[in-house]
Structure formats: C-alpha cells, structure tokens
Amino acid sequence: MPTPYGNRGGMAFGAEELRVLRRALALALHPAPASDKDVRDCLRLAESVDETAQEAARQRAFLLADLDRYRGALPGSVTGYLSLLTDALAAGHQPGVDDLSALRALRGNPTAAAPLDRCRALAEQGVRDRLEARRQPRVPASRTRLLALPGGLLDAADRPAEPKPGTPPRPAPKPSEVFPPKRRPAQPPAPPQQLAAG
C-alpha cells in the first residue's frame, strides 16, 4: 500500500505498486485486452491510493489541530508553534487572522519575524487570488467521465456526441424565444348599464 510522503500530499510507492502502475499506464497508452489479474491489481492499487489520500488528509487535520493548541498556549509555546506553523505552511495551510495576530503578538521575538513576513505575503496573495477568481466567469466543469474499459476504449453511451462535419453551429436563441412576451388576461365583458327609470 502506498504511504503518505512529506507534508505536500506526496505518496511513496513500493516496487510491486510501481509495477502495477506502469502496467496501467501501458494499457492506457497502448490499448490491449487486459487480463483479469491486471484489472484486479489496478483496482486494488486505486483503493490503496484512495486510503493513502484519506490518511494524508487525517495527518494534515492533526497538524492543524496541534497548531491551534500551540497557538492557544502562546507565548510559552513559541518554539513549538513556529515549527508547526512552518510545517503547516509547507503543507498548503493558508494563514488566517489567528495566525497573523499571534505572530504580531510575538513581534519582539526575532524568530517570529520571518514567519510573520511569510504569512503576511501568503494572506495577501490569498486575498488577491480570491478577488481574481470572482472577476473571472465560472466555466462549468466537464461532465464527461473517464472510463477505462478493457482495451482502453470508452463505452458508446458515455462517449460525448461530436457534431457532424459541415453542420453549422446552432445560432444563439433570440430573446423573444427565451422570454416569450407575457399575454395580458382577457378583460371580462363590461356589465350592461342599468337605465334609471324616469
């Protein structure tokens, strides 16, 4: 089974797992009928990779929980907090308000100056990235699934339909087609006027 490697989501594979991975890549690049053993090995490796990814996520959650505990024990836990913060930043942790305020409180400590500068830069970059993401239009994710069948071919039902050559693209609908005009309700006939007897 692969094991989590490092704090950036890496995985370490054994020799047997690399053999299975190499065979799966060869089947993907050069479609050929796969044996039942190869299919079972690939499925087993996929399950192991999923378990390893979950284990890496658990390790990251433990790291962030430790970081919170050490932050709560400041200023007595400066060394441990700064070490855990460095590990968390390397694992992709975005520093929050708590981290920045804790580092500002440690401003007198010379070892906290470099992490404070790094956290400030990461927080500013995170804000810029979020603003840029809001400005850009969202592109819907592709709904096609990758299905590997023996021989590396897609099932006909899952293959996206391709336009026939020479057919013009469908024109954009007119606003009146998308939003038809509202029809006014028919007015009821006016009641006959009563003539006053005179």
Side-chain angles (χ1 to χ4, degrees):
M1 177 175 159
T3 54
Y5 180 76
N7 50 19
R8 289 184 175 269
M11 293 184 194
F13 290 88
E16 182 63 22
E17 294 155 349
L18 286 175
R19 184 196 65 75
V20 173
L21 188 58
R22 189 167 39 225
R23 178 72 179 133
L25 289 173
L27 285 171
L29 291 173
H30 305 289
S35 68
D36 289 343
K37 181 183 182 305
D38 286 339
V39 172
R40 280 195 304 274
D41 289 345
C42 289
L43 290 175
R44 197 175 307 119
L45 181 62
E47 290 173 1
S48 297
V49 167
D50 289 343
E51 287 178 26
T52 303
Q54 290 172 356
E55 181 62 27
R58 280 195 292 272
Q59 287 181 354
R60 187 172 185 274
F62 284 134
L63 174 64
L64 294 179
D66 279 347
L67 184 66
D68 287 342
R69 280 196 291 277
Y70 274 78
R71 188 188 309 117
L74 286 174
S77 62
V78 174
T79 307
Y81 172 70
L82 293 177
S83 173
L84 284 172
L85 180 62
T86 303
D87 290 345
L89 293 175
H93 170 64
Q94 286 293 322
V97 177
D98 294 338
D99 294 314
L100 291 171
S101 59
L103 288 170
R104 283 191 196 106
L106 298 172
R107 193 172 291 172
N109 189 327
T111 57
L116 176 60
D117 293 340
R118 184 172 177 205
C119 285
R120 263 195 209 136
L122 287 172
E124 289 172 6
Q125 186 61 45
V127 169
R128 280 193 214 101
D129 291 344
R130 284 192 295 274
L131 289 174
E132 187 63 31
R134 286 184 187 164
R135 284 191 204 127
Q136 294 177 353
R138 291 189 178 181
V139 177
S142 173
R143 294 185 182 268
T144 58
R145 296 176 293 153
L146 294 177
L147 296 178
L149 299 176
L153 301 176
L154 283 177
D155 189 11
D158 292 314
R159 187 172 295 140
E162 296 181 7
K164 296 177 184 175
T167 56
R170 182 172 179 252
K174 297 177 187 172
S176 60
E177 294 173 347
V178 178
F179 305 105
K182 293 183 181 177
R183 305 219 185 270
R184 295 185 182 172
Q187 295 288 336
Q193 294 184 351
Q194 303 261 338
L195 295 176

